[in-house]
Amino acid sequence: MSGQNAALAAKNEQDTVISLVDMNKWYGDFHVLKNINLEVQRGERIVICGPSGSGKSTMIRCINQLEEHQSGTIIVNNQELTNNTKALEKVRKDVGMCFQHFNLFPHMTILENLILAPIWVRKMPRKDAIDLAMTYLKRVNIAEQSQKYPGQLSGGQQQRVAIARSLCMSPKVMLFDEPTSALDPEMIKEVLDVMEELANDGMTMLCVTHEMGFAKSVADRVIFMDGGEIVEENEPNEFFNNPQMDRTQLFLSQILSH
Amino acid sequence: MTMVFQPSPDMPPPASQTGLLHWVRNNLFNSFANGLLTIIGLAILANIIPPLVNWLLIDAIFQGTAETCRQGQGACWAFVDAQIKLFLLGPYPTELAWRPIFSAVLLFGLFIITARHMLKTAHLVVAWLILPLPIYWLIGGGLGLEVVDTSEWGGLMLTLVLAVVGILASLPIGVLLALGRSMQNKVIKGFCICVIELVRGVPLVTILFMATIMLPLFLPTDVEIGILYRVQFGIILFSSAYIAEVVRGGLQGVDKGQGEAAVALGLNRWKTTIFIILPQALKIVIPPLIGRCIALLKDTSLVVVVGLLDFLGIAKAASQDAEWLGFDAEAFVFCAFIYWVLCFSLSRYGRSLEKRGQVGHH
Ligand SMILES: Nc1ncnc2c1ncn2[C@@H]1O[C@H](COP(=O)(O)OP(=O)(O)O)[C@@H](O)[C@H]1O
Ligand SMILES: [Mg+2]
C-alpha cells in the first residue's frame, strides 16, 4: 500500500512540468511579481488573463528566464532555474515560446527560421531538420510559403510560422504571450485554430490571452492576475460563471461587456 | 436575400502636372526671390563654365610633349598620359605591373560577385575578410613571387591598398570592439571603451606619426617592421574605432525581441549574436559603413606626412618632375577626378546594396 503511494507521489512529481514556489521579482524597486505559486501538470492547458501591466508577460518570461527572478524557486522539467547558463540553455530547448509580435528572423526565409535551432542547438543533420520543418509547416498550413521571407507574410501567417518554429524544437511546454493581440481580427481565428489543435494533441500550454472563447473551449484552468499577484484561479466554467473575487468580477464585466 | 458585392472598377490616378516648363516654374521661379536667385546663379555659372570647359577640354592638349603644352592655352593632359604609370603604381617595377592589376581585378570581381549575390552570404564574408592576404602577397611578393620592397609601392595602388586593407581588417576588429562594448563583463567593456575613445580622440595624423615613430619603440630591437606596415597598422586601428561605433549603433537598432526569440529557442549568446543580431545590425549600418569606406579612402592621403607616396603624394611629385615642371593643376585635377569617381561609385554601390536589402533578402 505504502509502496503504491510512493510510486504515485513519484509519478506526480514527474508529471509536474512547471512549478513556481513563492516566486518574487522586482524591476529596481518595483515589486512586479509577488509570491507567485503555480504548478502546471503535463498536458495541462492554462490561460492567464488580467489587466495590462499586471505582470502576465513577466511571469511567463520568468519560466524560460528571459527575465530573472530574485527570490523563490522555479522548477521546469525537474531542473531548478538558477543563473547557471548551461542549465538554462538546456531548459530553454524544451520550452517553446511565441511572442505578441512573432519575432521571426527577418533576414532568413521561413524555412531557415525553422531549421536554425534544430541544426545549431539539437545538432540535427540539415536534411532531417528540413524534413521536420516541412512537416510542421504543413501542420500550420503554410508549407507553400517556406521560401519566402517573414516580411512577405501576413500577421496571421507569421504567427503560425512562429508556432511551427517553436514546435521544431519538440518542446515539452509552450508559452504564448498574447499571440493574437497584434493581429487583424480576421486573422485571429487561424492562429487560435492552430493553438487549439496543439492543445488537442496534448501539449502543455501556458497562454496569456484575452480570447475568452479560446479560454472556455481549451483551458483546463484560468488564472487571473492583477498587481503582480495571482488573484484567482479556477476551471473555466467556474471562473467565468462564478468568479469569487470582486476584482475578477470587475475585470470580467469589463472585457465581456461589449 | 443576400446581395452580391460587386467591387468598383479601378480608376487611373488624376493626371499630374508634368513637363519641363512646369518643372522650371515650380522649382526655379516659384517666387520673386527665387527667380532672382536663379538669374544670379545662372549669371555666375555663365562666367565660370565656359572658361572651365575651354581649359579642361576644348583648348586642352591630349598628346605631345611638355613643349607643345607650354605653347598651348588649355590643360596639358599629355602630362598625365606620359606619367600615368607613375600616377597609378608609383615607382613599382613596370614589368611586374600585372600583379597590382591582378589584385585590382580580384577586388573588382568581388564587388561584382557581392552585388549580384553570386555566393552565399557566409562565403562572401569570408572572401572579403581574406582578400587582404592575396592583395599583400601579389603586390609584395614572397612565397614564390619576386619580392617588391614596400618602398617601391606608390600611387593610386598604394592608396587603394591602404584603404581596402584598412577597411577590411578593421571590420572584424570594429565588430569585436562593438560587441565588447555592449558586454556585461566590466573589464572587457572598459577595455573596448578605452580603445575606441582613445583612438577617436586623436587625429589620424597623430596616429600615423605614433605608428611610425612610437611603434618601433615597443617592439624588440631586432624586429624591423617596414614603415608601410606600420602606417597600415595605424590606419586599421583608426578605422576600427570608428567602425566599432557605427556597428554599435546597428546593434542597438536591432529589435530586442530578436535576441529573445533566439534565446528562447535555446541558442546560446554567441550563436544568437552571430546568426541573429550581427547580420541584422550590419544590414542596418550599410550606409554609414559605406560612408566610412569613402572617408577612409580620402583620409589615406594623409600618409604623405610620414613620407609615403600615395596617389596624391605621387601627383605632387610628378608635377615636380624636371621635364614636366609647372603642371600641378593638371595633376591635382586628375587626382581629384579619380578620387571623385571612386567615391561616387562606392556611394552608388552602397545604394544598390541597400535597395537589395529592402526587398528582404540577405
Ligand atoms: N524591463 C522593465 N523594466 C521596468 N519595468 C518593467 C519592465 N518590463 C515591464 N515592466 C513593468 O512591469 C509591469 C508588468 O509588466 P508586464 O509583465 O509586461 O505586464 P502585462 O504583460 O501583464 O501587461 C508593468 O507595470 C510594466 O510597466
Ligand atoms: Mg504583456
Side-chain angles (χ1 to χ4, degrees), chain B residues 127-141:
Chain B
W128 277 109
L129 291 184
I130 61 170
L131 185 64
L133 299 178
I135 287 182
Y136 259 101
W137 173 61
L138 275 169
I139 298 180

Side-chain angles (χ1 to χ4, degrees), chain A residues 61 89 103-104 107 120 149, chain B residues 257-258 260 268 271 275 360:
Chain A
R61 287 158 62 87
E89 278 159 17
N103 298 358
L104 294 179
H107 59 302
W120 290 98
Y149 286 83
Chain B
Q258 291 291 310
E260 289 179 350
N268 64 24
K271 285 173 188 161
F275 295 126

Side-chain angles (χ1 to χ4, degrees), chain A residues 153-189:
Chain A
L153 267 53
S154 74
Q157 291 174 322
Q158 290 192 49
Q159 192 60 292
R160 285 185 281 147
V161 170
I163 294 174
R165 179 176 71 178
S166 293
L167 292 179
C168 281
M169 287 296 286
S170 321
K172 301 205 167 66
V173 191
M174 283 287 288
L175 311 173
F176 293 87
D177 191 0
E178 306 206 27
T180 56
S181 52
L183 296 178
D184 290 335
E186 75 260 31
M187 292 171 185
I188 292 178
K189 188 175 176 303

